[in-house]
Coordinates of all heavy atoms in Angstrom, one line a residue:
M1 N 134.9 71.2 -105.8 CA 134.1 70.2 -105.1 C 134.6 70.1 -103.7 O 135.8 69.7 -103.5 CB 134.1 68.8 -105.8 CG 133.0 68.6 -106.7 SD 133.0 66.8 -107.2 CE 131.5 66.8 -108.1
P2 N 133.8 70.3 -102.7 CA 134.2 70.1 -101.3 C 134.6 68.7 -101.0 O 133.8 67.7 -101.4 CB 133.1 70.6 -100.4 CG 132.0 71.1 -101.3 CD 132.4 70.7 -102.7
R3 N 135.6 68.4 -100.2 CA 135.8 67.0 -99.7 C 135.5 67.0 -98.3 O 135.7 68.0 -97.5 CB 137.4 66.8 -99.9 CG 137.7 66.5 -101.3 CD 139.2 66.6 -101.6 NE 140.0 65.6 -100.7 CZ 140.3 64.4 -101.1 NH1 139.9 63.9 -102.3 NH2 141.0 63.6 -100.3
L4 N 135.0 65.9 -97.9 CA 134.4 65.7 -96.6 C 134.9 64.4 -95.9 O 134.9 63.4 -96.6 CB 132.9 65.7 -96.8 CG 131.9 65.4 -95.8 CD1 132.1 66.3 -94.6 CD2 130.5 65.7 -96.3
T5 N 135.4 64.5 -94.7 CA 135.9 63.3 -94.1 C 134.9 62.9 -92.9 O 134.6 63.7 -92.1 CB 137.4 63.5 -93.6 OG1 138.2 63.7 -94.6 CG2 137.9 62.2 -92.8
F6 N 134.5 61.7 -92.9 CA 133.7 61.0 -91.8 C 134.7 60.1 -91.0 O 135.4 59.4 -91.5 CB 132.6 60.1 -92.5 CG 131.6 61.0 -93.3 CD1 131.8 61.1 -94.7 CD2 130.4 61.4 -92.7 CE1 131.0 61.9 -95.5 CE2 129.6 62.2 -93.5 CZ 129.8 62.4 -94.8
V7 N 134.5 60.3 -89.7 CA 135.3 59.5 -88.8 C 134.3 58.6 -88.1 O 133.5 59.2 -87.3 CB 136.1 60.3 -87.8 CG1 137.0 59.4 -86.9 CG2 137.1 61.4 -88.6
E8 N 134.3 57.3 -88.3 CA 133.3 56.5 -87.6 C 133.9 56.3 -86.2 O 134.9 56.6 -85.7 CB 133.3 55.1 -88.3 CG 132.7 55.3 -89.7 CD 132.6 54.0 -90.5 OE1 132.1 53.0 -90.0 OE2 133.1 54.1 -91.6
H9 N 132.9 55.7 -85.4 CA 133.1 55.5 -84.0 C 134.4 54.7 -83.6 O 135.1 55.1 -82.7 CB 131.9 54.8 -83.3 CG 131.9 54.8 -81.8 ND1 131.8 55.9 -81.1 CD2 132.2 53.8 -81.0 CE1 131.9 55.5 -79.8 NE2 132.2 54.2 -79.7
D10 N 134.7 53.8 -84.5 CA 135.9 53.0 -84.3 C 137.2 53.6 -84.8 O 138.2 53.1 -84.9 CB 135.7 51.6 -85.0 CG 135.6 51.7 -86.5 OD1 135.7 52.7 -87.1 OD2 135.5 50.6 -87.0
G11 N 137.1 54.9 -85.4 CA 138.2 55.6 -85.9 C 138.4 55.5 -87.4 O 139.3 56.2 -87.9
T12 N 137.6 54.6 -88.0 CA 137.8 54.5 -89.5 C 137.5 55.8 -90.2 O 136.4 56.4 -89.9 CB 136.9 53.4 -90.0 OG1 137.2 52.2 -89.3 CG2 137.0 53.2 -91.5
E13 N 138.3 56.3 -91.1 CA 138.0 57.5 -91.7 C 137.7 57.2 -93.2 O 138.4 56.5 -93.8 CB 139.3 58.5 -91.7 CG 139.7 59.0 -90.3 CD 140.7 60.0 -90.2 OE1 141.1 60.5 -91.4 OE2 141.2 60.3 -89.2
T14 N 136.7 57.9 -93.7 CA 136.3 57.8 -95.1 C 136.2 59.3 -95.7 O 135.5 60.1 -95.1 CB 135.0 57.2 -95.3 OG1 135.1 55.8 -94.6 CG2 134.6 57.0 -96.7
T15 N 136.9 59.6 -96.7 CA 136.9 60.9 -97.3 C 136.1 60.8 -98.7 O 136.4 59.9 -99.4 CB 138.3 61.5 -97.6 OG1 138.9 61.6 -96.3 CG2 138.2 62.9 -98.2
L16 N 135.1 61.6 -98.8 CA 134.3 61.6 -100.0 C 134.3 63.0 -100.7 O 134.3 64.0 -100.0 CB 132.8 61.3 -99.7 CG 132.6 59.9 -99.0 CD1 131.1 59.8 -98.4 CD2 132.9 58.8 -100.0
E17 N 134.1 63.0 -102.0 CA 133.9 64.3 -102.7 C 132.5 64.5 -102.6 O 131.6 63.6 -102.8 CB 134.3 64.1 -104.2 CG 135.8 63.7 -104.3 CD 136.6 64.8 -105.0 OE1 136.0 65.6 -105.8 OE2 137.7 64.8 -104.9
A18 N 132.1 65.7 -102.4 CA 130.7 66.2 -102.3 C 130.4 67.2 -103.3 O 131.3 67.9 -103.8 CB 130.5 66.7 -100.9
A19 N 129.1 67.3 -103.7 CA 128.7 68.4 -104.6 C 128.3 69.6 -103.7 O 127.6 69.4 -102.7 CB 127.5 67.9 -105.4
T20 N 128.8 70.8 -104.1 CA 128.3 71.9 -103.5 C 126.8 72.0 -103.5 O 126.1 71.8 -104.5 CB 128.9 73.2 -104.2 OG1 130.3 73.1 -104.1 CG2 128.5 74.5 -103.5
G21 N 126.2 72.3 -102.3 CA 124.7 72.4 -102.2 C 124.1 71.1 -101.7 O 122.9 71.1 -101.3
D22 N 124.8 70.0 -101.8 CA 124.4 68.8 -101.1 C 124.6 68.9 -99.5 O 125.4 69.7 -99.1 CB 125.1 67.5 -101.6 CG 124.6 67.0 -102.9 OD1 123.6 67.6 -103.4 OD2 125.1 66.1 -103.4
S23 N 123.9 68.1 -98.8 CA 124.1 68.1 -97.4 C 125.1 67.1 -97.1 O 125.5 66.2 -97.9 CB 122.8 67.8 -96.7 OG 122.4 66.4 -96.9
V24 N 125.6 67.1 -95.8 CA 126.5 66.2 -95.3 C 125.9 64.8 -95.3 O 126.5 63.8 -95.8 CB 127.0 66.6 -93.8 CG1 127.8 65.4 -93.3 CG2 127.8 67.8 -93.9
M25 N 124.6 64.7 -95.0 CA 123.9 63.5 -95.0 C 123.8 62.9 -96.4 O 124.1 61.7 -96.6 CB 122.5 63.7 -94.4 CG 121.6 62.5 -94.5 SD 120.8 62.2 -96.1 CE 119.4 63.3 -96.0
E26 N 123.5 63.7 -97.4 CA 123.3 63.2 -98.7 C 124.6 62.7 -99.2 O 124.7 61.7 -100.0 CB 122.8 64.3 -99.7 CG 121.4 64.7 -99.4 CD 121.0 66.0 -100.1 OE1 121.8 66.9 -100.2 OE2 119.8 66.0 -100.7
T27 N 125.7 63.3 -98.9 CA 127.0 62.9 -99.3 C 127.4 61.5 -98.7 O 127.9 60.6 -99.3 CB 128.1 63.8 -98.8 OG1 127.8 65.1 -99.3 CG2 129.5 63.5 -99.3
A28 N 127.0 61.3 -97.4 CA 127.2 60.0 -96.7 C 126.4 58.9 -97.3 O 126.9 57.8 -97.6 CB 126.9 60.2 -95.2
V29 N 125.1 59.2 -97.6 CA 124.3 58.2 -98.1 C 124.8 57.7 -99.6 O 124.9 56.6 -99.9 CB 122.8 58.6 -98.1 CG1 121.9 57.7 -98.9 CG2 122.3 58.8 -96.6
A30 N 125.1 58.8 -100.3 CA 125.6 58.5 -101.7 C 126.8 57.7 -101.6 O 127.1 56.9 -102.6 CB 125.8 59.9 -102.5
G31 N 127.6 57.9 -100.7 CA 128.9 57.2 -100.5 C 128.8 55.9 -99.8 O 129.8 55.2 -99.7
G32 N 127.5 55.5 -99.5 CA 127.4 54.2 -98.9 C 127.8 54.0 -97.5 O 128.1 52.9 -97.0
L33 N 127.9 55.1 -96.8 CA 128.4 55.1 -95.4 C 127.3 54.4 -94.4 O 126.1 54.9 -94.4 CB 128.8 56.4 -94.8 CG 130.2 56.9 -95.1 CD1 130.4 58.2 -94.2 CD2 131.2 55.9 -94.8
D34 N 127.7 53.5 -93.7 CA 126.6 52.9 -92.8 C 126.3 53.7 -91.6 O 125.2 53.6 -90.9 CB 127.1 51.5 -92.3 CG 127.1 50.5 -93.4 OD1 126.5 50.7 -94.4 OD2 127.9 49.5 -93.2
G35 N 127.2 54.6 -91.2 CA 127.0 55.4 -90.0 C 125.9 56.4 -90.0 O 125.7 57.0 -89.0
I36 N 125.4 56.7 -91.2 CA 124.3 57.7 -91.3 C 123.1 56.9 -91.9 O 123.3 56.4 -93.0 CB 124.7 58.8 -92.2 CG1 125.9 59.6 -91.7 CG2 123.5 59.7 -92.6 CD1 125.5 60.6 -90.6
V37 N 122.1 56.9 -91.1 CA 120.8 56.1 -91.6 C 119.9 57.0 -92.4 O 119.4 56.6 -93.4 CB 120.1 55.5 -90.4 CG1 118.9 54.8 -90.8 CG2 121.1 54.5 -89.7
A38 N 119.6 58.2 -91.9 CA 118.8 59.2 -92.6 C 117.3 58.6 -93.0 O 117.0 58.7 -94.1 CB 119.4 59.8 -93.8
E39 N 116.6 58.1 -91.9 CA 115.4 57.5 -92.1 C 114.4 58.4 -92.8 O 113.6 57.9 -93.6 CB 114.8 57.1 -90.8 CG 115.2 55.7 -90.4 CD 114.8 55.3 -89.0 OE1 114.0 56.1 -88.3 OE2 115.1 54.1 -88.6
C40 N 114.4 59.7 -92.5 CA 113.3 60.6 -93.0 C 113.8 61.2 -94.4 O 113.1 62.0 -94.9 CB 113.0 61.6 -92.1 SG 114.2 62.9 -91.9
G41 N 115.1 60.9 -94.8 CA 115.4 61.5 -96.1 C 115.8 62.9 -96.1 O 115.9 63.6 -97.1
G42 N 116.0 63.5 -94.9 CA 116.5 64.9 -94.8 C 115.4 65.9 -94.5 O 115.6 67.1 -94.6
S43 N 114.3 65.4 -94.0 CA 113.2 66.4 -93.7 C 113.1 66.8 -92.3 O 112.1 67.3 -91.8 CB 111.8 66.0 -94.3 OG 111.5 64.6 -93.9
M44 N 114.1 66.4 -91.6 CA 114.3 66.8 -90.1 C 113.2 66.2 -89.3 O 112.6 66.8 -88.5 CB 114.4 68.3 -89.9 CG 115.3 68.6 -88.8 SD 116.0 70.2 -88.7 CE 114.5 71.3 -88.7
M45 N 112.8 64.9 -89.6 CA 111.8 64.2 -88.9 C 112.3 63.0 -88.2 O 111.6 62.2 -87.7 CB 110.6 63.8 -89.9 CG 110.0 64.9 -90.6 SD 109.1 66.0 -89.5 CE 107.7 64.9 -89.1
C46 N 113.6 62.8 -88.1 CA 114.2 61.7 -87.4 C 115.5 62.3 -86.8 O 115.8 63.5 -86.9 CB 114.6 60.6 -88.3 SG 116.0 60.8 -89.5
A47 N 116.3 61.5 -86.1 CA 117.6 62.0 -85.7 C 118.7 61.0 -86.1 O 119.7 60.8 -85.4 CB 117.6 62.3 -84.2
T48 N 118.4 60.2 -87.2 CA 119.3 59.1 -87.5 C 120.4 59.6 -88.5 O 121.0 58.8 -89.1 CB 118.5 58.0 -88.1 OG1 117.9 58.4 -89.3 CG2 117.5 57.4 -87.1
C49 N 120.6 60.9 -88.6 CA 121.7 61.5 -89.4 C 122.6 62.3 -88.4 O 123.3 63.1 -88.8 CB 121.2 62.3 -90.5 SG 120.3 63.8 -89.9
H50 N 122.5 61.9 -87.1 CA 123.3 62.7 -86.1 C 124.8 62.6 -86.4 O 125.3 61.5 -86.7 CB 122.9 62.0 -84.7 CG 123.6 62.5 -83.6 ND1 123.7 61.9 -82.3 CD2 124.2 63.8 -83.4 CE1 124.2 62.6 -81.5 NE2 124.5 63.8 -82.1
C51 N 125.5 63.7 -86.2 CA 127.0 63.7 -86.3 C 127.5 64.7 -85.4 O 126.7 65.6 -84.8 CB 127.4 64.0 -87.8 SG 127.2 65.6 -88.3
Y52 N 128.8 64.5 -85.1 CA 129.4 65.6 -84.3 C 130.5 66.3 -85.2 O 131.3 65.6 -85.8 CB 130.3 64.8 -83.2 CG 129.4 64.0 -82.3 CD1 129.6 62.6 -82.4 CD2 128.5 64.5 -81.4 CE1 128.8 61.7 -81.5 CE2 127.8 63.7 -80.5 CZ 127.9 62.3 -80.6 OH 127.2 61.5 -79.8
V53 N 130.3 67.6 -85.3 CA 131.2 68.4 -86.2 C 132.5 68.4 -85.4 O 132.6 68.7 -84.2 CB 130.6 69.8 -86.4 CG1 131.6 70.6 -87.1 CG2 129.3 69.7 -87.2
D54 N 133.6 68.2 -86.1 CA 134.9 68.3 -85.5 C 135.1 69.8 -85.0 O 134.7 70.7 -85.5 CB 136.0 68.1 -86.6 CG 137.4 67.9 -85.9 OD1 137.7 66.7 -85.6 OD2 138.1 68.9 -85.9
D55 N 135.8 69.8 -83.8 CA 136.0 71.1 -83.1 C 136.6 72.2 -84.0 O 136.2 73.2 -83.9 CB 136.9 70.8 -81.8 CG 136.2 70.1 -80.8 OD1 135.0 70.1 -80.7 OD2 137.0 69.5 -79.9
A56 N 137.4 71.8 -84.9 CA 138.1 72.7 -85.7 C 137.2 73.4 -86.7 O 137.5 74.4 -87.4 CB 139.3 72.1 -86.5
W57 N 136.0 72.8 -86.9 CA 135.0 73.2 -88.0 C 133.8 73.9 -87.4 O 132.9 74.4 -88.2 CB 134.7 72.1 -88.9 CG 135.8 71.6 -89.8 CD1 136.9 70.8 -89.5 CD2 136.2 72.3 -91.1 NE1 137.8 70.8 -90.5 CE2 137.3 71.7 -91.5 CE3 135.5 73.2 -91.9 CZ2 138.0 72.0 -92.7 CZ3 136.1 73.6 -93.1 CH2 137.3 73.0 -93.5
I58 N 133.6 73.8 -86.2 CA 132.3 74.2 -85.6 C 132.0 75.6 -85.9 O 130.8 76.0 -86.0 CB 132.2 73.8 -84.0 CG1 130.9 73.8 -83.5 CG2 133.1 74.8 -83.2 CD1 130.0 72.6 -84.0
E59 N 132.9 76.5 -86.0 CA 132.6 77.9 -86.2 C 132.1 78.0 -87.7 O 131.3 78.9 -87.9 CB 133.9 78.8 -86.1 CG 134.5 78.8 -84.7 CD 133.8 79.6 -83.8 OE1 133.2 80.7 -84.2 OE2 133.8 79.3 -82.6
R60 N 132.5 77.2 -88.6 CA 132.3 77.4 -89.9 C 130.9 76.7 -90.4 O 130.3 77.1 -91.4 CB 133.4 76.9 -90.9 CG 134.4 78.0 -91.0 CD 135.7 77.4 -91.6 NE 136.5 76.7 -90.7 CZ 137.7 76.2 -91.1 NH1 138.2 76.3 -92.2 NH2 138.5 75.7 -90.1
T61 N 130.5 75.7 -89.6 CA 129.3 75.0 -90.0 C 128.0 75.7 -89.5 O 126.9 75.4 -89.8 CB 129.2 73.5 -89.4 OG1 129.5 73.6 -88.1 CG2 130.3 72.7 -90.2
G62 N 128.2 76.6 -88.6 CA 127.1 77.4 -88.1 C 126.4 76.7 -86.9 O 126.9 75.5 -86.5
T63 N 125.4 77.2 -86.3 CA 124.8 76.6 -85.2 C 123.5 75.9 -85.5 O 122.9 76.2 -86.5 CB 124.5 77.7 -84.1 OG1 123.7 78.7 -84.7 CG2 125.8 78.2 -83.5
R64 N 123.1 75.0 -84.7 CA 121.8 74.3 -85.0 C 120.6 75.2 -84.7 O 120.7 76.0 -83.7 CB 121.8 73.0 -84.3 CG 122.0 73.0 -82.8 CD 122.3 71.5 -82.3 NE 122.2 71.6 -80.9 CZ 123.1 71.0 -80.0 NH1 124.1 70.4 -80.6 NH2 122.9 71.0 -78.8
S65 N 119.6 75.0 -85.4 CA 118.4 75.7 -85.1 C 117.6 75.1 -84.1 O 117.9 74.1 -83.5 CB 117.5 75.6 -86.4 OG 117.0 74.3 -86.6
E66 N 116.5 75.8 -83.6 CA 115.7 75.4 -82.4 C 115.0 74.0 -82.8 O 115.0 73.1 -82.0 CB 114.7 76.4 -82.1 CG 114.1 76.3 -80.7 CD 113.3 77.5 -80.4 OE1 113.8 78.7 -80.6 OE2 112.2 77.3 -79.9
S67 N 114.5 73.9 -84.0 CA 113.9 72.6 -84.4 C 114.9 71.5 -84.5 O 114.5 70.4 -84.2 CB 113.0 72.8 -85.6 OG 113.5 73.7 -86.5
E68 N 116.1 71.8 -84.9 CA 117.1 70.8 -85.0 C 117.5 70.4 -83.6 O 117.5 69.2 -83.3 CB 118.3 71.5 -85.7 CG 119.3 70.5 -86.1 CD 120.5 71.1 -86.9 OE1 120.4 72.2 -87.4 OE2 121.6 70.5 -86.9
D69 N 117.6 71.3 -82.7 CA 117.7 71.0 -81.3 C 116.6 70.1 -80.7 O 116.9 69.1 -80.1 CB 117.7 72.3 -80.5 CG 118.9 72.6 -79.7 OD1 119.8 71.8 -79.7 OD2 118.9 73.7 -79.1
D70 N 115.4 70.4 -81.0 CA 114.3 69.6 -80.5 C 114.4 68.1 -81.2 O 114.2 67.1 -80.4 CB 113.0 70.2 -81.0 CG 112.6 71.5 -80.3 OD1 113.3 71.7 -79.3 OD2 111.8 72.2 -80.7
M71 N 114.7 68.0 -82.4 CA 114.9 66.7 -83.0 C 116.0 65.9 -82.4 O 115.9 64.7 -82.2 CB 114.9 66.8 -84.5 CG 114.8 65.6 -85.3 SD 113.3 64.6 -84.8 CE 112.0 65.6 -85.4
L72 N 117.0 66.6 -82.1 CA 118.2 65.8 -81.5 C 117.9 65.2 -80.1 O 118.6 64.3 -79.7 CB 119.4 66.8 -81.4 CG 120.3 66.9 -82.6 CD1 121.2 68.1 -82.5 CD2 121.0 65.6 -83.0
E73 N 116.8 65.7 -79.6 CA 116.4 65.0 -78.2 C 116.1 63.5 -78.4 O 116.2 62.8 -77.6 CB 115.2 65.8 -77.6 CG 115.7 67.1 -77.0 CD 114.5 67.9 -76.5 OE1 113.4 67.2 -76.3 OE2 114.6 69.1 -76.3
S74 N 115.7 63.2 -79.7 CA 115.5 61.7 -79.9 C 116.7 61.0 -80.4 O 116.5 59.8 -80.8 CB 114.3 61.6 -80.9 OG 114.5 62.3 -82.1
A75 N 117.9 61.6 -80.4 CA 119.0 60.9 -80.9 C 119.3 59.8 -79.9 O 119.1 60.0 -78.7 CB 120.2 61.9 -81.0
V76 N 119.8 58.7 -80.5 CA 120.2 57.5 -79.6 C 121.4 57.8 -78.8 O 121.4 57.4 -77.6 CB 120.4 56.3 -80.6 CG1 120.9 55.1 -79.8 CG2 119.0 55.9 -81.2
C77 N 122.3 58.4 -79.4 CA 123.7 58.7 -78.6 C 123.7 60.0 -78.0 O 122.9 60.9 -78.4 CB 124.8 58.4 -79.6 SG 125.1 56.7 -80.0
E78 N 124.5 60.2 -77.1 CA 124.7 61.5 -76.4 C 124.8 62.7 -77.4 O 125.5 62.7 -78.4 CB 126.1 61.4 -75.7 CG 126.5 62.6 -75.0 CD 128.1 62.6 -74.6 OE1 128.8 61.7 -75.2 OE2 128.5 63.5 -73.9
V79 N 124.0 63.7 -76.9 CA 124.1 64.9 -77.7 C 125.1 65.8 -77.1 O 125.1 66.0 -75.8 CB 122.6 65.6 -77.7 CG1 122.7 66.9 -78.4 CG2 121.7 64.7 -78.4
R80 N 126.0 66.4 -77.9 CA 127.0 67.2 -77.4 C 126.9 68.6 -78.0 O 126.2 68.8 -78.9 CB 128.4 66.6 -77.8 CG 128.6 65.1 -77.4 CD 129.9 64.6 -78.0 NE 130.1 63.3 -77.7 CZ 130.9 62.4 -78.4 NH1 131.6 62.9 -79.3 NH2 130.9 61.1 -78.1
P81 N 127.7 69.6 -77.5 CA 127.7 70.9 -78.1 C 127.9 71.0 -79.6 O 127.4 71.8 -80.3 CB 128.8 71.7 -77.3 CG 128.9 71.0 -76.0 CD 128.6 69.5 -76.3
T82 N 128.7 69.9 -80.0 CA 129.0 69.9 -81.5 C 128.1 69.0 -82.3 O 128.2 68.8 -83.5 CB 130.5 69.3 -81.7 OG1 130.6 68.0 -81.0 CG2 131.5 70.2 -81.1
S83 N 127.0 68.6 -81.6 CA 126.0 67.7 -82.4 C 125.3 68.5 -83.4 O 124.8 69.6 -83.2 CB 125.0 67.1 -81.4 OG 125.6 66.0 -80.6
R84 N 125.1 67.8 -84.6 CA 124.2 68.4 -85.6 C 123.5 67.3 -86.3 O 123.9 66.1 -86.3 CB 125.1 69.1 -86.7 CG 125.7 70.4 -86.3 CD 124.9 71.5 -85.9 NE 123.9 71.8 -86.9 CZ 124.2 72.7 -87.9 NH1 125.2 73.3 -88.1 NH2 123.2 73.0 -88.9
L85 N 122.4 67.7 -86.9 CA 121.8 66.7 -87.9 C 122.5 67.0 -89.2 O 122.5 68.1 -89.8 CB 120.2 67.0 -88.0 CG 119.4 66.8 -86.8 CD1 118.0 67.3 -87.0 CD2 119.4 65.3 -86.4
S86 N 123.0 65.9 -89.7 CA 123.9 66.1 -90.9 C 123.1 66.5 -92.1 O 123.7 67.1 -93.1 CB 124.7 64.9 -91.2 OG 123.9 63.7 -91.5
C87 N 121.8 66.3 -92.1 CA 121.0 66.7 -93.3 C 120.8 68.2 -93.3 O 120.4 68.9 -94.3 CB 119.6 66.0 -93.3 SG 118.6 66.5 -91.9
Q88 N 121.2 68.9 -92.2 CA 121.0 70.3 -92.0 C 122.3 71.1 -92.4 O 122.4 72.3 -92.3 CB 120.4 70.7 -90.6 CG 119.1 70.0 -90.4 CD 118.0 70.4 -91.5 OE1 117.8 71.6 -91.8 NE2 117.5 69.4 -92.2
I89 N 123.4 70.4 -92.6 CA 124.6 71.1 -93.0 C 124.8 71.0 -94.5 O 125.0 69.9 -95.1 CB 125.8 70.4 -92.3 CG1 125.7 70.3 -90.8 CG2 127.1 71.2 -92.7 CD1 126.7 69.6 -90.0
V90 N 124.6 72.2 -95.1 CA 124.8 72.3 -96.6 C 126.2 72.6 -96.9 O 126.8 73.6 -96.3 CB 123.7 73.3 -97.1 CG1 123.9 73.4 -98.6 CG2 122.3 72.8 -96.8
L91 N 126.7 71.8 -97.9 CA 128.1 72.0 -98.2 C 128.4 73.3 -99.1 O 127.7 73.4 -100.2 CB 128.7 70.7 -98.8 CG 128.7 69.7 -97.7 CD1 128.8 68.3 -98.4 CD2 129.9 69.8 -96.8
T92 N 129.4 74.0 -98.7 CA 129.8 75.2 -99.6 C 131.3 75.0 -99.9 O 131.9 74.2 -99.2 CB 129.5 76.5 -98.9 OG1 130.3 76.4 -97.6 CG2 128.1 76.6 -98.4
P93 N 131.8 75.7 -100.8 CA 133.2 75.6 -101.0 C 134.0 76.0 -99.8 O 135.1 75.3 -99.6 CB 133.4 76.7 -102.1 CG 132.2 76.8 -102.9 CD 131.2 76.6 -101.8
E94 N 133.5 76.8 -99.0 CA 134.2 77.1 -97.7 C 134.3 75.9 -96.7 O 135.1 75.9 -95.8 CB 133.5 78.3 -97.0 CG 133.5 79.6 -97.6 CD 132.7 79.7 -98.9 OE1 131.7 79.0 -98.9 OE2 133.1 80.3 -99.8
L95 N 133.5 74.9 -96.9 CA 133.5 73.7 -96.1 C 134.4 72.6 -96.7 O 134.4 71.5 -96.2 CB 132.1 73.2 -95.8 CG 131.2 74.2 -94.9 CD1 129.9 73.6 -94.7 CD2 131.9 74.5 -93.6
D96 N 135.2 72.9 -97.7 CA 136.1 72.0 -98.2 C 137.1 71.5 -97.1 O 137.8 72.4 -96.5 CB 136.9 72.6 -99.4 CG 137.9 71.6 -100.0 OD1 137.5 70.4 -100.0 OD2 138.9 72.0 -100.5
G97 N 137.1 70.2 -96.9 CA 138.0 69.7 -95.8 C 137.2 69.3 -94.5 O 137.9 68.9 -93.5
L98 N 136.0 69.6 -94.5 CA 135.1 69.4 -93.3 C 135.3 68.0 -92.7 O 135.4 67.0 -93.5 CB 133.7 69.7 -93.6 CG 132.7 69.4 -92.4 CD1 132.9 70.4 -91.3 CD2 131.2 69.5 -93.0
V99 N 135.4 67.9 -91.4 CA 135.6 66.6 -90.8 C 134.3 66.5 -89.8 O 134.1 67.4 -89.0 CB 136.8 66.5 -90.0 CG1 136.9 65.2 -89.2 CG2 138.0 66.7 -90.8
V100 N 133.6 65.4 -89.9 CA 132.5 65.0 -89.0 C 132.8 63.6 -88.4 O 133.3 62.8 -89.0 CB 131.1 65.1 -89.6 CG1 130.8 66.6 -90.1 CG2 130.9 64.1 -90.7
H101 N 132.4 63.6 -87.1 CA 132.5 62.3 -86.4 C 131.1 61.6 -86.3 O 130.2 62.4 -86.1 CB 133.1 62.5 -85.0 CG 134.5 63.2 -85.1 ND1 135.7 62.5 -85.0 CD2 134.8 64.5 -85.3 CE1 136.7 63.3 -85.1 NE2 136.2 64.5 -85.3
L102 N 131.1 60.3 -86.4 CA 129.8 59.6 -86.3 C 129.6 59.0 -85.0 O 130.6 58.5 -84.4 CB 129.6 58.6 -87.5 CG 129.9 59.2 -88.9 CD1 129.8 58.1 -89.9 CD2 128.9 60.2 -89.2
P103 N 128.4 59.0 -84.5 CA 128.2 58.4 -83.1 C 128.1 56.8 -83.3 O 128.1 56.3 -84.4 CB 126.7 58.9 -82.8 CG 126.1 59.3 -84.1 CD 127.1 59.7 -85.0
E104 N 128.2 56.2 -82.1 CA 128.3 54.7 -82.2 C 127.1 54.2 -82.8 O 127.2 53.1 -83.5 CB 128.4 54.3 -80.7 CG 128.7 52.8 -80.6 CD 129.1 52.3 -79.2 OE1 128.9 53.1 -78.3 OE2 129.5 51.2 -79.0
A105 N 125.9 54.7 -82.7 CA 124.7 54.1 -83.3 C 123.7 55.2 -83.6 O 123.8 56.3 -83.1 CB 124.0 53.2 -82.3
Q106 N 122.8 54.9 -84.6 CA 121.8 55.9 -85.0 C 120.5 55.5 -84.6 O 119.5 56.2 -84.5 CB 121.9 56.2 -86.5 CG 123.2 56.8 -87.0 CD 123.3 58.3 -86.7 OE1 122.5 58.9 -86.0 NE2 124.3 58.9 -87.2
V107 N 120.2 54.1 -84.5 CA 118.9 53.6 -84.2 C 119.1 52.6 -83.1 O 120.1 52.1 -82.8 CB 118.2 52.9 -85.4 CG1 117.9 53.9 -86.4 CG2 119.1 51.9 -86.0
Ligands
FES201 FE1 116.2 62.7 -90.8 FE2 118.3 64.2 -90.9 S1 117.8 62.6 -92.2 S2 116.6 64.3 -89.5

């Protein structure tokens, strides 16, 4: 089971066990994290699951798609090169230990 650490804007860290095949967003919502809203439930119709992949992991999570890029234009907080929609990052055993940072706000 991959473990995943969320770092909130204030530096609070939460580590959750995730199921392989679940998304980062699904893991956050199941774990009750407030920093991920996920209004659309993962259908890439909002940007309220915005996260910043930790620099050390950016090579392994892959790059964002063109439609993900378009949707991120409506993100409330600054979009950075490491920005992703967390519903689009699917967890694999290789992502065990993944660290993502949460923006200050989602809505
Ligand atoms: Fe809406 Fe990810 S949950 S785009």
Side-chain angles (χ1 to χ4, degrees):
M1 265 191 172
R3 284 163 60 89
L4 173 55
T5 297
F6 296 88
V7 184
E8 293 176 55
H9 187 71
D10 67 2
T12 304
E13 292 189 14
T14 305
T15 299
L16 298 171
E17 298 245 335
T20 299
D22 276 0
S23 68
V24 171
M25 176 279 281
E26 289 169 321
T27 305
V29 169
L33 276 192
D34 291 337
I36 296 282
V37 177
E39 273 174 358
C40 78
S43 51
M44 213 159 56
M45 299 295 287
C46 71
T48 63
C49 66
H50 182 197
C51 70
Y52 304 112
V53 174
D54 190 86
D55 289 339
W57 288 89
I58 198 71
E59 299 284 328
R60 280 171 275 184
T61 53
T63 53
R64 52 191 193 230
S65 66
E66 203 171 306
S67 29
E68 195 177 340
D69 236 355
D70 290 345
M71 190 49 65
L72 275 166
E73 285 177 18
S74 59
V76 169
C77 287
E78 174 197 9
V79 175
R80 303 175 188 161
T82 56
S83 287
R84 292 293 308 271
L85 294 175
S86 61
C87 66
Q88 300 302 304
I89 305 173
V90 175
L91 292 160
T92 60
E94 291 72 33
L95 291 179
D96 181 30
L98 175 66
V99 178
V100 299
H101 301 262
L102 302 180
E104 187 170 8
Q106 296 282 10
V107 290

